[in-house]
Amino acid sequence: MFWDTDIQRFKDSVPVGGAIVFNAYPLDVDVNFARNHAAADKWTWYYLTVGQVSLYAQDEWQASQRFKLTYGLRADRSLYFNSRYNSANLNPDGTFAGSYTTGKPTVPNNDNLTLFDKDGKPVTNGQGKDLDNTRLPKGLLLSPRLGFNWDVEGNRTIQIRGGSGLFTGRFPFVWVGNHIGNPFSFFYNATDKDFRWPQVWRTNVGTDFKIPYGTIFSFDIAYTKDIKGMMVRNYKLGTPTGTLNSGTGDKRNIYKASDQGTANAYVFTNTDVGYQFNITLQAQQNFANGLYAMVGYNYLIAKDASSISAEISSDAFDRNPILNNANQARLTPSLYGNKHRFIGALSKKFEYGTKKALATTVSLFGTLTSGNRFAYVYGGDINNDGTTSNDLLYVPTDAEIDVMNFAPLTDVNGKVQDAAAQRIALKWFIQQDDYLRNRRGQYTEKYGAETPWFSEVDLRILQDFNFKAGKSTRTIQFSIDILNLGNLLNSDWGVRKYATTSGYYQPLSVSLAGSVPTYQFDPTARTTFIASPDLISRWQMQFGIRFIF
């Protein structure tokens, strides 16, 4: 809000009306504007009432006593009601000007903008043109699917099941809200004319095998392909034609002024780049003495072009780590989904008392999971695309660090660190990080890094009090749940570690002058991962009561 300033300048400037806001005007200007605006009580509103109509038809064919085929077709269509934009016009001092800016479904943006599509080709803007912000996403979505179940032996000891089909998710109408609420060129949102709501094609097959001892083994495999994936692109950006002059192996493409259009235009588009591959193994056994045991394992490979982690269009673009062309859909690991996950459960019910009026159930649940994914990116805009959080890091060798330009940095302790100190510290930081150490002379991968493995054991205790009420049995059940039991026993157990909570980690800052970068690294940064202070790393206990009738 106050641009490049410090607290002392703020304290000195504000009382005397100094130009503190963006180094251009006094803070009192904004304060008075806000006061007058509040007094006028006239605001910007946009309205969106939506609906989704769905129809599903299904039939079954019992081909034999052992084989059943199920097939169906689902149809979905989005509906919009009373969509409009209404904004009070204000005078420079924040008072109401007596008029409104309105539009249905939003205010048409007919500005003569220089824009580019995902391939860098020119795009026309305005009603009836390539990019028309009065056009909302619509169209009928058809989702056929097929499923089967085969009882191989006819006695349910071996069953094979599976299916394949097109699936449409719930419509994310928040994107339409972005579209309607941001019609102006300083923060322009629109939807590509060929946009369709997200769809995937999913195929899976699985089997359940029951051995004579009663143990059930399950195996499932699934493959999901993005058909209409979602990706926010900035149509201000064309194809980057510049080259970074870093003095290292980092020779990425950067955006020249001639590669860019008039204003940021965040456009909702589709891509078919992305897939998920999933394998699950499980074994479970119910014993005669009330003991239940289960173990399982899941393996997941998930890749996409954009792991959207925000509902705001600009955030969805800014948080998508890139190399070279920011609008290119590249197949890379997804932010979501852990590659390996082991699970286990053990439960035992003890019945006792007169006519077994009392029962205690003790259950343990455990997981061991590979780390969450994240990306190493620069803190700064090294490719000149206007975003300071999406440029993948280049990992320099020790020799390259010696020729990199470093600007003096004041660390968190107030000490000024010169270039020599930053170079030494950066070399040490890369060496202590397994991922970075093995990628010297290369770029980091989008979501290619993982946090350390983590585990958790939970405990549940149920106490039943059974009693007769007429001819029926009623139960009062008390429950105690302890989440992250290990952390209750030892404060060092059950603690997760992470480098970032946002999906992107920025250990190295950068600024760009022309095509030449200058870096800053804080020597107080000694390790990549820190212990999470969040609730997920703390034990929790909850109590419950339930009446069963």
Side-chain angles (χ1 to χ4, degrees):
M1 178 178 179
F2 304 113
W3 203 242
D4 186 15
T5 189
D6 55 38
I7 189 63
Q8 189 58 49
R9 184 183 170 205
F10 176 81
K11 292 166 65 176
D12 294 341
S13 300
V14 170
V16 297
I20 193 70
V21 182
F22 302 113
N23 293 325
Y25 56 88
L27 179 62
D28 288 346
V29 173
D30 282 350
V31 173
N32 290 332
F33 183 95
R35 183 183 294 114
N36 292 334
H37 192 183
D41 197 24
K42 301 293 183 180
W43 310 98
T44 297
W45 296 94
Y46 58 91
Y47 304 85
L48 175 64
T49 303
V50 298
Q52 179 175 342
V53 176
S54 301
L55 177 66
Y56 185 67
Q58 177 178 301
D59 195 13
E60 293 181 354
W61 177 41
Q62 193 73 44
S64 68
Q65 290 185 340
R66 301 183 181 183
F67 188 87
K68 181 173 67 174
L69 189 68
T70 303
Y71 43 91
L73 177 66
R74 179 184 174 115
D76 294 278
R77 186 178 181 88
S78 56
L79 301 174
Y80 308 99
F81 310 95
N82 195 32
S83 303
R84 68 186 190 278
Y85 180 97
N86 189 81
S87 179
N89 296 320
L90 303 175
N91 294 312
D93 63 354
T95 56
F96 179 46
S99 61
Y100 294 86
T101 298
T102 62
K104 291 185 178 182
T106 188
V107 178
N109 187 317
N110 291 309
D111 295 346
N112 185 21
L113 303 177
T114 300
L115 302 173
F116 307 91
D117 68 8
K118 62 183 179 65
D119 300 314
K121 298 177 181 178
V123 171
T124 58
N125 178 69
Q127 287 180 285
K129 297 183 179 180
D130 295 333
L131 194 64
D132 181 353
N133 75 318
T134 64
R135 181 173 50 217
L136 299 180
K138 57 184 180 180
L140 181 65
L141 297 174
L142 300 177
S143 304
R145 68 274 309 260
L146 181 73
F148 72 91
N149 189 85
W150 180 24
D151 186 356
V152 179
E153 301 293 336
N155 57 7
R156 297 183 178 275
T157 56
I158 302 176
Q159 293 193 85
I160 300 175
R161 49 190 158 65
S164 184
L166 194 63
F167 292 85
T168 301
R170 293 177 59 188
F171 292 165
F173 287 115
V174 66
W175 297 338
V176 181
N178 277 252
H179 179 137
I180 293 175
N182 299 287
F184 303 112
S185 295
F186 60 84
F187 190 78
Y188 186 25
N189 286 189
T191 304
D192 185 79
K193 62 181 179 180
D194 296 321
F195 178 83
R196 292 293 181 270
W197 293 112
Q199 285 187 311
V200 299
W201 191 282
R202 179 174 294 120
T203 300
N204 70 284
V205 63
T207 182
D208 299 311
F209 178 72
K210 186 176 182 179
I211 64 175
Y213 296 101
T215 305
I216 300 175
F217 296 93
S218 299
F219 172 78
D220 289 271
I221 183 170
Y223 178 80
T224 302
K225 179 70 177 70
D226 285 352
I227 303 300
K228 295 292 183 183
M230 174 66 191
M231 183 173 180
V232 175
R233 292 179 163 101
N234 187 351
Y235 276 18
K236 174 188 177 181
L237 302 174
T239 301
T241 59
T243 302
L244 186 70
N245 182 16
S246 66
T248 70
D250 186 0
K251 295 179 173 58
R252 73 184 71 205
N253 294 129
I254 62 176
Y255 287 91
K256 296 181 178 180
S258 57
D259 303 327
Q260 304 190 41
T262 314
N264 289 324
Y266 299 104
V267 181
F268 302 104
T269 70
N270 290 123
T271 175
D272 61 359
V273 174
Y275 72 88
Q276 301 87 46
F277 177 71
N278 198 313
I279 295 177
T280 301
L281 304 171
Q282 180 178 282
Q284 55 184 319
Q285 173 75 53
N286 282 299
F287 297 90
N289 61 357
L291 179 66
Y292 169 80
M294 181 275 291
V295 292
Y297 168 73
N298 185 77
Y299 174 80
L300 172 66
I301 294 293
K303 295 190 176 185
D304 59 28
S306 177
S307 300
I308 296 177
S309 58
E311 73 279 5
I312 300 174
S313 58
S314 60
D315 288 348
F317 175 80
D318 293 344
R319 297 177 188 177
N320 188 32
I322 59 97
L323 181 65
N324 299 318
N325 192 330
N327 286 327
Q328 182 182 7
R330 298 173 61 239
L331 184 65
T332 56
S334 173
L335 174 63
Y336 304 107
N338 304 88
K339 189 173 184 179
H340 303 283
R341 187 172 186 230
F342 297 88
I343 62 173
L346 190 65
S347 181
K348 169 69 174 175
K349 185 173 185 179
F350 303 90
E351 296 180 311
Y352 51 94
T354 304
K355 296 183 180 180
K356 297 183 178 181
L358 302 173
T360 303
T361 304
V362 180
S363 303
L364 286 170
F365 309 90
T367 61
L368 175 63
T369 309
S370 60
N372 299 322
R373 292 191 172 274
F374 68 96
Y376 293 87
V377 299
Y378 286 107
D381 184 8
I382 199 172
N383 72 338
N384 202 32
D385 67 349
T387 298
T388 60
S389 59
N390 69 343
D391 295 318
L392 288 170
L393 200 72
Y394 174 81
V395 187
T397 64
D398 283 354
E400 289 175 325
I401 292 176
D402 289 334
V403 300
M404 290 168 57
N405 297 320
F406 283 87
L409 173 110
T410 302
D411 65 22
V412 293
N413 299 314
K415 181 181 179 181
V416 177
Q417 301 283 356
D418 61 16
Q422 294 180 56
R423 290 189 177 103
I424 293 172
L426 180 57
K427 292 176 183 179
W428 192 94
F429 184 84
I430 293 173
Q431 180 61 29
Q432 64 83 38
D433 187 300
D434 291 339
Y435 179 82
L436 295 179
R437 184 172 64 245
N438 292 318
R439 294 199 67 82
R440 294 178 188 269
Q442 303 176 69
Y443 296 102
T444 57
E445 306 156 292
K446 187 174 86 170
Y447 305 131
E450 295 179 88
T451 61
W453 285 59
F454 57 89
S455 61
E456 182 174 320
V457 176
D458 301 329
L459 171 67
R460 162 166 265 207
I461 300 175
L462 301 176
Q463 180 61 52
D464 295 344
F465 298 90
N466 303 312
F467 60 93
K468 282 286 187 179
K471 296 182 179 180
S472 302
T473 300
R474 305 285 190 258
T475 302
I476 296 177
Q477 184 181 83
F478 294 92
S479 64
I480 301 175
D481 292 279
I482 302 177
L483 308 179
N484 202 353
L485 177 65
N487 189 251
L488 173 64
L489 303 177
N490 188 316
S491 60
D492 293 329
W493 296 350
V495 176
R496 301 191 187 186
K497 292 187 176 182
Y498 59 54
T500 174
T501 58
S502 63
Y504 56 91
Y505 179 46
Q506 300 172 289
L508 185 62
S509 297
V510 66
S511 59
L512 194 66
S515 62
V516 179
T518 299
Y519 306 91
Q520 286 185 313
F521 180 76
D522 187 350
T524 63
R526 306 291 292 173
T527 182
T528 303
F529 301 107
I530 62 172
S532 166
D534 302 327
L535 191 60
I536 200 169
S537 291
R538 303 291 180 263
W539 67 269
Q540 304 169 63
M541 183 180 294
Q542 61 186 24
F543 302 90
I545 185 171
R546 183 168 63 160
F547 178 56
I548 304 172
F549 57 91

